[in-house]
Amino acid sequence: MITGAPDDAETLAVGALEWLLKAARDVDDGLTWPNTLADDEFNPTLYNGTSGVLPALLDAWRYFADDRYADAALRGARSVADALDDWEDSGLYTGVAGMAVALQGVHRVLGDTAAGASAERALDVLRSRYDGAGWND
């Protein structure tokens, strides 16, 4: 064991969550998480962007009952919702499908109707891109 290192999972989780909150960037009334701290570009995707942070925040809120995590998830959902119409990729990890998953999670866990409506809008975007044979990305 490393001297001075946290020795339990909860301490490690709280440290990681605090890092996530500090790494967030304010945009309009929302929050985003960039690919890297040095990156200025907003990334709403599930794989390595804001949509991927939202499920972690929801789990943290349910486990620790710290409303900061719920607030950050709600604000993150707003920035993801704002990116839906302009995001060209449709896929799960790097596109609108993953954004829909994250938004639906915020709706189900926190009861946020705006996130639920945005998840439905994301599904509408996906439906409009499918031509019966493939995705029009």
Side-chain angles (χ1 to χ4, degrees):
M1 186 162 132
I2 299 171
T3 307
D7 60 356
D8 65 81
E10 284 185 4
T11 301
L12 293 170
V14 168
L17 291 162
E18 292 302 316
W19 184 88
L20 277 176
L21 292 178
K22 288 177 184 172
R25 299 207 179 131
D26 289 306
V27 290
D28 300 320
D29 65 342
L31 285 178
T32 66
W33 284 265
N35 289 344
T36 68
L37 292 179
D39 200 351
D40 289 330
E41 198 169 311
F42 165 59
N43 180 348
T45 68
L46 185 64
Y47 183 74
N48 62 344
T50 299
S51 290
V53 173
L54 299 182
L57 293 170
L58 295 173
D59 284 346
W61 175 73
R62 286 191 290 201
Y63 185 82
F64 293 110
D66 185 333
D67 287 339
R68 294 178 307 146
Y69 305 135
D71 179 63
L74 289 168
R75 292 181 64 211
R78 286 194 289 265
S79 70
V80 170
D82 288 346
L84 282 173
D85 295 323
D86 297 324
W87 201 256
E88 294 181 12
D89 191 316
S90 298
L92 177 63
Y93 296 112
T94 60
V96 174
M99 295 159 71
V101 168
L103 290 164
Q104 186 63 24
V106 171
H107 171 67
R108 285 187 179 168
V109 173
L110 299 177
D112 185 61
T113 57
S118 294
E120 287 298 318
R121 193 170 92 244
L123 295 176
D124 289 342
V125 168
L126 290 172
R127 285 184 202 98
S128 75
R129 293 178 180 177
Y130 188 72
D131 65 5
W135 298 101
N136 298 318
D137 295 341

